[in-house]
Amino acid sequence: MVSPQSSIGVADVSVDDEFWSPWIERNREVTIEYQYEQLEESGTLENFRRARDGESGGFQGMWFQDSDAYKWLEGASYELAKRDDPDLRERVNEVIDLVAAAQREDGYVNTYFQLVEPEKKWTNLHLMHELYCGGHLIEAAVAHYQATRERSLLDIATGFADHVDDVFGDELDGVPGHEEIELALIRLYHVTGKERYLERAEYFVDLRGHNDRLGWEATHLDEIGGHAYADLPEGRGDDLMDVAGNLFLEDSEYDGSYAQAHEPVREQDTVEGHSVRAMYLLAAVADLVAETGDEALWAATELLWENMTTKQMYITGGIGPEHAHEGFTEDYELPNETAYAETCAAIGSIFWNQRLLEYTGEAKYADLIEETLYNGFLAGVGLDGRQFFYVNPLASSGDHHRKGWFTCACCPPNAARLFASLGAYLYSERDGELYINQYVGSTLSTTVGGVNVDLEQESALPWDGEITLEIEADGTVPINLRIPDWADGATVIVDGVPVSDGNRSSDVERSESSSGPVEYGGTGFVRVERDWGGETIEIRLDQTVELLAAHPDVEADAGRVAVARPPLVYCAEAVDNDRPLHQYAVPEGADASAAHRDDLLDGVTVVETEAAVPDYDGWEKRLYRPVEQTGTEFDRLEFVPYYAWDNREAGAMQVWHRLDRP
Amino acid sequence: MVSPQSSIGVADVSVDDEFWSPWIERNREVTIEYQYEQLEESGTLENFRRARDGESGGFQGMWFQDSDAYKWLEGASYELAKRDDPDLRERVNEVIDLVAAAQREDGYVNTYFQLVEPEKKWTNLHLMHELYCGGHLIEAAVAHYQATRERSLLDIATGFADHVDDVFGDELDGVPGHEEIELALIRLYHVTGKERYLERAEYFVDLRGHNDRLGWEATHLDEIGGHAYADLPEGRGDDLMDVAGNLFLEDSEYDGSYAQAHEPVREQDTVEGHSVRAMYLLAAVADLVAETGDEALWAATELLWENMTTKQMYITGGIGPEHAHEGFTEDYELPNETAYAETCAAIGSIFWNQRLLEYTGEAKYADLIEETLYNGFLAGVGLDGRQFFYVNPLASSGDHHRKGWFTCACCPPNAARLFASLGAYLYSERDGELYINQYVGSTLSTTVGGVNVDLEQESALPWDGEITLEIEADGTVPINLRIPDWADGATVIVDGVPVSDGNRSSDVERSESSSGPVEYGGTGFVRVERDWGGETIEIRLDQTVELLAAHPDVEADAGRVAVARPPLVYCAEAVDNDRPLHQYAVPEGADASAAHRDDLLDGVTVVETEAAVPDYDGWEKRLYRPVEQTGTEFDRLEFVPYYAWDNREAGAMQVWHRLDRP
């Protein structure tokens, strides 16, 4: 077992990137700001005030709305880690004070149950999300502590975690319907060093699929808490019943797969159910494996990752095709127009893969993070920073549009905390070596194996594969450069001297996959060891336009190709093309070109290919005729990055185009 | 203006056909028998008994359920016309007696209003179907009178029709929401010679789109009848409200297009709304044109026919793609898996086209009747005669199945009356000439232009294009033989001497299209004039397997081909093919073969083509990869006639297959 990497956190990394910085700034200036206003408008803070004041009733909003406050605290904390902002710090402290005041003496805090059904706490683990909210409280606390070294929020979180640890495994055995507490407890363990949190996380992971508490609840809805929610003036009782309705198989048996509770985690080999829940669970599983080296958990992890990435994932990195249960279905069932592919699920996949990357050091996980960041995740956010997709289809007839984030509950704040912490996904350290996982313009100031390192990265991605690193260090630091699986060729030049491709130079080594049967892309890292004194590393990754096919069992993509210029997946939008999109067929080996257009969509590289289109000759007053009498002519089909779709005139969009196989 | 043809009715034609006779026998033995039992079980006859006895309340079933009794009477009457059946005759008379006893003195008869809301009759023309039911009463009466020359049912019908004629245009102006009375009144005019029925039919056609009665009702639901229906123990008030909900445009304006009342019929140029209603209206319009020579109506008819056949029709002859309003949508919008294509709409199209054929003598209408009979209509009925499709998709993932006809209201009895009267679609007469419109084995004994003709037809269609006619006549009778538009070549041999193709022989003439701008197929009739004394005509129609493409604007069929061996459209079913259907791509110019299999599906000719399928090599543990690394191999794809699908193991089906354009 290799020793896990540690990601280098947001405090040590300052992102300064032509592509990503505008997103991060919009996130700070628009999203986090607006999110704070919404905490007041939605009644979230008022719920805490009422709980503080010992009131009864008057709960407002969704039953898991406390988590909105916690997610905001987490995102805001990442911003505080990067630079002090007195106004933001004051707001953060006010909210923390409020949560502290609302928390019960025993550590319990959940404004819904405190205000509405205090006697029913911990009776509806499946639907009522007390542990889910608590998990977000803990994540916020860890982020806040790491940013400020203040314990104000951390103390609240440990109080809650201690209470959970007291209650569960003792007076009550059960797992939450929505995972989140598990990964949070492990984060809490990492900052506090308290083993009980790690062990409680392990308890929740190990019990899942073994304990029939969720099934009991689902079949005894009358006996559990949550029903009073439907009677609140602001309540939406139907939502709860809809969820409850999803919990059953056709024969009225409880179906635990919605919450990954159909069988023990160690026995699972296909990703199932609600995809955000699955990702949060698996992130915790990866953390546990890193802590415990549990081989059975790791074996299951590898099977689940293989299942997801080779049978249940969109080409954008999006996951979970189905609307009804927001989750996974059958292998290779990846419909395009009806894809769910929730933005939060893409974010959850990034969380999971970052942990797998840290554990294994294998580039394939960083590859998938990059793919998901630039496509399945980024499409979830509009160019104005004010409009969001919950649902990310890969084809649209023109009626799917982003909505103002204030109408959504989970995706906008989840995106906000990812943007705010993007710096934490770029670099990691293991065994005194530095790993460059993502090529995003940034400055890094940290210590690797006891050696101070200052690194400045410039990157022209995703438009151009030119990356430059300038490094100063107190001593010798091996630097591992990820060569993405998509690179059609890579050159590494150290201080003006070409030292690769691959293993050509003595001081460049390509690390090999070390962790079992999974092959994904087959790329790795190039290792450069130097005593750095301001030298530069230039990396040239060749980008080409690719036509990609999907596995033969994917019905939705049969006879179709997707256009990519990695790391970006492209799509065709009606606004750029004269004919209806269904008329274009891209020939195999089509001549393709790419050109940057500063004026378009905040600046994008567009792609164009030749395409066959039907000839209208002979079709007048005919609806059907022998195919040999029909003809085609040649036209051009223009593509824009998938993430940028639906930012102009409404119209059809498609990622998968008919292939004209010669 | 040419003089219209007259179809030769069921009494003069006896169908004896290897393909059709089993369907007709199952229809008589299974469907009509079962339908009678259902009249009792469903409470239909009991409703009439209660009305007869002057009771109040107790109405059972759908509000338009009287029409079930009338449709049964119509179908049973066609059987009585073909051969006497004392048991059936007695049942028919019993039902007629019951209707007679239930009819009010003023001629009104509708058991729903008589039992439930007598004071509300004629207040809800849009939804409550009094005129629709009355139309079916009249059609049954005409069929019964023509079969038996007895006036028992005809007197009831004329009583009702006289009442309608008294009420409408005088105390009330309005048109029915569901057309049917119009064509029925013209049929009644044809047997009675009474002009008032023709004029009242013309009134209903002319008023449609001019009168705001339907819109007034739709916006004054509280003031009209029908609401009491929802309160009946057996009522289904929701159905009514669903229908009412379909009547409005997005801006809450009344949308008459559902009932073809959006504009005057003479101004309509696209088929709109509920497709069965549209077909019944247009059948009446065709009758009116034949009676009056109204040029504006004919001009509209030609535009509507062109719109339907060249922009809004499935390759099966099915029409009306949308479920919500059971009808037409936009030009070229012809989705396959979600196609509605109601069986009754296909039947309605046959009714309309038969009238157009009679009016014009143009073979294109007979071509479309043939296409619809063998495909869009016939698929609606299972091989057991007990299971029916309401909805006829052109692709299925395997979960669409016929249901027992007793659960349906309209399609099974509509299919029953079409099967029972199929003989009436084969032959017609005009100006002393005989027209052979459909090639179905049968004997004909009739008088043409005063000359007695006995004709015996044998036909191997749809499996083989060999047709033989043997004719005896008292004198000279010109016989016009339809050459179907699909024939890839045709030979006509009279008494052993080849006399065509086309105009090669002096006694063979090909009639030319005479009625305006529509081109459909471009075929016509071959004319053979003889003094017949037992001579035979042999017709050889060459059948080939065709790959058909759809118009470039049909998104659902882009890059796809349908396989036909006319007159049959073929489909691929999962049960006959090893791979999932989406994997097959049929090459343009594919080698295709046809072979008859007596053992399959009651005997069908199956078709097989070569097809490209993906090579699985290199796909292990890959979900996406460059298309140029993927390969294909060759396989065979087997097809069965579309009408025969879903008669074996449940599984996927598709009519449109990916095209591998070389």
Side-chain angles (χ1 to χ4, degrees), chain A residues 306 310 313-315 547 549-553 555 559 582-583 616 619 621 623-627 630 658 661, chain B residues 306 310 313-315 547 549-553 555 559 582-583 616 619 621 623-627 630 658 661:
Chain A
E306 178 186 324
T310 70
M313 190 176 77
Y314 287 101
I315 197 165
L547 299 187
H551 189 282
D553 289 344
E555 179 170 1
H582 74 261
Q583 292 196 356
Y616 274 85
W619 275 113
K621 295 181 181 169
L623 189 48
Y624 306 105
R625 62 182 178 136
V627 68
T630 68
R658 285 195 294 115
R661 189 183 277 273
Chain B
E306 179 186 323
T310 69
M313 190 177 77
Y314 288 101
I315 198 167
L547 299 187
H551 188 281
D553 289 344
E555 178 169 1
H582 74 260
Q583 291 195 356
Y616 274 85
W619 275 113
K621 294 180 181 171
L623 189 47
Y624 305 104
R625 64 183 176 133
V627 68
T630 67
R658 284 196 293 114
R661 190 182 276 273

Side-chain angles (χ1 to χ4, degrees), chain B residues 36 67 97 133 152 174 228 282 293 295 301 303 365 387 424 427 447 465 485 496 505 559 565 621 655:
Chain B
Y36 177 76
S67 63
D97 289 347
C133 291
S152 54
L282 290 170
E295 288 183 15
T301 297
L303 291 175
Y365 302 112
Q387 306 268 322
Y427 305 99
T447 307
D485 61 348
S505 168
R565 184 172 177 272
K621 294 180 181 171
V655 169

Side-chain angles (χ1 to χ4, degrees), chain B residues 548-614:
Chain B
L548 296 163
H551 188 281
D553 289 344
V554 182
E555 178 169 1
D557 303 336
R560 292 182 175 266
V561 286
V563 171
R565 184 172 177 272
L568 294 176
V569 173
Y570 277 71
C571 69
E573 281 197 283
V575 65
D576 297 313
N577 295 288
D578 296 334
R579 290 180 175 235
L581 297 181
H582 74 260
Q583 291 195 356
Y584 295 90
V586 180
E588 190 175 326
D591 172 45
S593 61
H596 198 74
R597 283 185 51 191
D598 289 330
D599 58 322
L600 191 71
L601 294 163
D602 292 353
V604 290
T605 295
V606 297
V607 167
E608 216 182 65
T609 70
E610 58 183 341
V613 293

Side-chain angles (χ1 to χ4, degrees), chain B residues 32-44:
Chain B
I32 292 180
E33 178 67 22
Y34 198 96
Q35 200 178 345
Y36 177 76
E37 291 165 17
Q38 283 304 109
L39 292 183
E40 201 63 81
E41 283 207 21
S42 64
T44 307

